[in-house]
Amino acid sequence: MKVLIVGSGGREHAIAHSVAKSSRVDRIYCAPGNGGIAQIAECVDIGVMEFEKLAGFAKEKEIDLCIVGMDDPLVGGLVDVLEGEGIRCFGPRANAAVLEGSKAFAKDLMKKYGIPTAAYANFEDPKEAVAYLKKGNFPVVLKADGLALGKGVLICNTLEEAVEGVRIIMEDKQFGSAGNRMVIEEFMTGREVSVLAFVDGKTVKTMTSAQDHKRAGDGDTGPNTGGMGTFSPSPFYTEEIHAFCQTHIYQATVDAMAKEGRPFKGIIFFGLMLTPEGPRVLEYNARFGDPEAQVVLVRMKNDLLDVMDACIDGTLEHTQLEFEENAAVCVVLASGGYPLSYEKGKRIEGLEKFEHKENYYCFHAGTKATEEGIVTNGGRVLGITAKGKDLKEARTNAYEAVNWVNFEKKYMRRDIGKAIDEA
Ligand code: AMP
Ligand code: GLY
């Protein structure tokens, strides 16, 4: 079987790594891929938004399955284009990927179907947004409606900050057209958990839980990033919480999408907050999380291609997902200065130390293969991932392995998984 993966991050490296383990795969291509993916797949220089080129390539190479890892092409309708050309795809069509593509859509869906989430209002007019804020409580959360690389969320403590936030999102358009509409949301407190699930349009099967660390600095300080590290499972995600979410959130969401004539096939990432009043949805994503995929997929026992086939064919009901009874931690090594400004092109030393090491993985995110070797090519550079018998061991192992590689201005958070000490 020939598989094409679309994307270039640590998530796509983790997906490629899992696909490579499948007994059914003969050849893996990745567009555009990165320096690490190139070691297990043939990387092709086509951008993720070049839909016609991707379709042409998939037809020419007779690709049996295309896996779309990233949000932009999913929301933009890559699956629709590829399927229109007769190419089998894993991932939601545009009318379902809107679950991630529009926060206003997601909030309205949750309201209509009684899925627990923060109270909110949607706005298209900045003046109306400000008038609403003047009547409300603080802190308050402002969210640009569209995709904004995980950065379009502002938590505002005062009316002044919130008014400034409306200006940033809706008038200055710092997040581009994502800010044409905006959600204003009640501020919630609690632990965050990421639960990723396979969905076949009607059945939803969740994977083991994970937790991300979105802020750049230790102790959850500094600007928001794409994610600085993860651990799996979350010790705070109990059986009881799972049972509640399965009925009131996961199945409810999948049923709601089907009722709306938008059957969802692919991955739904449920970003949850465990509030004192119970679990609430913070956000939905229509794809694997990055770096959640890195800690979840390495613990999955199933053949990933079998599960993806079941999602596409609508037979997920008969699939039993199985995860190892251990834990994993991923520490992101970033370029100093990320997410603001940072340099690229720094040579990365020590990558070979991960070869043939069981339970240690070096997933590449922003890297590039050059004649001088592998160099940094982005803000998040590597996702150093390790397994252990429990979370503490996995964390010790991951923080041991971060020392095996080096590049100029290597930066990481030192407290990934610290929360588990409170469990
Ligand atoms: P999102 O992209 O919607 O997940 O938001 C990014 C981050 O902002 C989340 O991971 C939370 O840490 C925070 N956040 C989002 N919505 C809320 C909310 N209603 N209350 C408190 N924090 C929030
Ligand atoms: N790690 C969060 C995300 O992938 O959106």
Side-chain angles (χ1 to χ4, degrees):
M1 187 171 164
K2 292 189 212 162
V3 176
L4 169 64
I5 300 169
V6 176
S8 62
R11 165 185 51 215
E12 284 74 27
H13 193 183
I15 293 172
H17 177 265
S18 288
V19 168
K21 285 194 297 194
S22 171
S23 55
R24 293 165 55 205
V25 75
D26 300 307
R27 195 142 192 187
I28 309 173
Y29 297 93
C30 189
N34 64 36
I37 296 173
Q39 291 160 6
I40 47 175
E42 187 176 321
C43 291
V44 281
D45 191 16
I46 306 177
V48 300
M49 297 308 282
E50 295 185 285
F51 294 180
E52 296 305 324
K53 277 197 192 169
L54 288 168
F57 177 82
K59 283 211 292 202
E60 181 199 319
K61 297 289 181 192
E62 298 178 328
I63 295 296
D64 299 296
L65 176 67
C66 177
I67 303 169
V68 185
M70 270 182 79
D71 46 359
D72 283 303
L74 287 168
V75 171
L78 176 57
V79 170
D80 307 61
V81 170
L82 294 177
E83 285 185 348
E85 299 284 342
I87 298 150
R88 191 172 160 86
C89 286
F90 179 79
R93 295 183 185 155
N95 75 347
V98 67
L99 195 58
E100 170 166 12
S102 168
K103 291 191 192 280
F105 169 87
K107 296 296 290 189
D108 287 345
L109 185 89
M110 289 187 264
K111 187 172 178 185
K112 182 168 172 187
Y113 291 92
I115 298 166
T117 189
Y120 76 102
N122 295 336
F123 294 93
E124 287 178 16
D125 177 352
K127 286 198 200 71
E128 284 176 22
V130 170
Y132 175 86
L133 286 166
K134 284 185 177 157
K135 293 183 291 186
N137 298 324
F138 294 89
V140 74
V141 185
L142 271 45
K143 299 186 175 183
D145 177 53
L147 297 179
L149 296 168
K151 290 168 196 155
V153 175
L154 304 176
I155 295 172
C156 305
N157 290 306
T158 61
L159 177 62
E160 291 69 42
E161 273 178 45
V163 170
E164 172 70 5
V166 173
R167 195 178 58 72
I168 289 172
I169 294 175
M170 297 196 95
E171 291 173 352
D172 295 357
K173 295 269 161 74
Q174 257 190 42
F175 311 106
S177 60
N180 290 349
R181 275 203 287 182
M182 195 180 82
V183 178
I184 299 184
E185 197 175 89
E186 165 204 4
F187 177 78
M188 304 186 288
T189 54
R191 287 195 188 278
E192 289 184 38
V193 183
S194 303
V195 177
L196 281 53
F198 288 97
V199 183
D200 73 352
K202 49 188 196 298
T203 299
V204 50
K205 295 270 168 100
T206 55
M207 294 173 239
T208 178
S209 60
Q211 186 182 321
D212 191 8
H213 300 65
K214 287 197 171 116
R215 308 286 286 272
D218 284 1
D220 293 327
T221 55
N224 258 317
T225 70
M228 293 301 293
T230 37
F231 59 83
S232 170
S234 164
F236 309 104
Y237 185 75
T238 60
E239 285 291 331
E240 191 191 345
I241 292 172
H242 175 74
F244 175 87
C245 294
Q246 177 62 32
T247 307
H248 299 284
I249 296 179
Y250 312 144
Q251 193 63 51
T253 301
V254 173
D255 291 347
M257 289 298 281
K259 280 214 187 82
E260 294 292 309
R262 300 169 181 274
F264 193 105
K265 290 186 174 198
I267 303 286
I268 301 182
F269 167 138
F270 297 90
L272 305 176
M273 189 171 264
L274 309 180
T275 77
E277 291 79 40
R280 300 272 184 276
V281 177
L282 276 174
E283 64 161 346
Y284 293 116
N285 294 318
R287 49 167 175 86
F288 280 104
D290 186 344
E292 281 87 347
Q294 289 84 321
V295 284
V296 168
L297 286 176
V298 294
R299 300 184 52 229
M300 191 166 107
K301 293 192 202 166
N302 304 69
D303 183 318
L304 181 59
L305 293 179
D306 288 346
V307 184
M308 289 184 165
D309 273 341
C311 291
I312 299 169
D313 297 333
T315 59
L316 189 61
E317 195 190 341
H318 310 293
T319 299
Q320 186 74 37
L321 291 184
E322 287 185 77
F323 287 85
E324 294 170 1
E325 295 283 327
N326 54 12
V329 168
C330 170
V331 179
V332 169
L333 301 187
S335 306
Y338 172 77
L340 306 173
S341 67
Y342 52 84
E343 292 168 39
K344 294 183 185 177
K346 308 291 179 198
R347 219 185 113 80
I348 307 173
E349 311 283 351
L351 291 168
E352 69 288 348
K353 299 206 179 85
F354 286 85
E355 281 165 27
H356 313 296
K357 273 255 173 42
E358 225 177 300
N359 297 329
Y360 291 86
Y361 312 84
C362 178
F363 293 121
H364 291 223
T367 73
K368 193 165 84 174
T370 69
E371 278 176 12
E372 288 83 54
I374 294 194
V375 300
T376 68
N377 191 39
R380 290 191 292 176
V381 178
L382 301 168
I384 304 299
T385 305
K387 293 201 278 201
K389 66 176 188 305
D390 56 20
L391 283 163
K392 283 192 177 144
E393 191 180 278
R395 183 176 61 187
T396 304
N397 292 347
Y399 273 109
E400 176 201 336
V402 295
N403 299 316
W404 300 349
V405 276
N406 265 310
F407 54 89
E408 207 182 302
K409 300 215 180 116
K410 169 175 117 178
Y411 170 77
M412 79 193 96
R413 273 184 64 162
R414 286 281 171 192
D415 63 347
I416 303 301
K418 190 159 183 282
I420 60 183
D421 297 334
E422 294 156 28

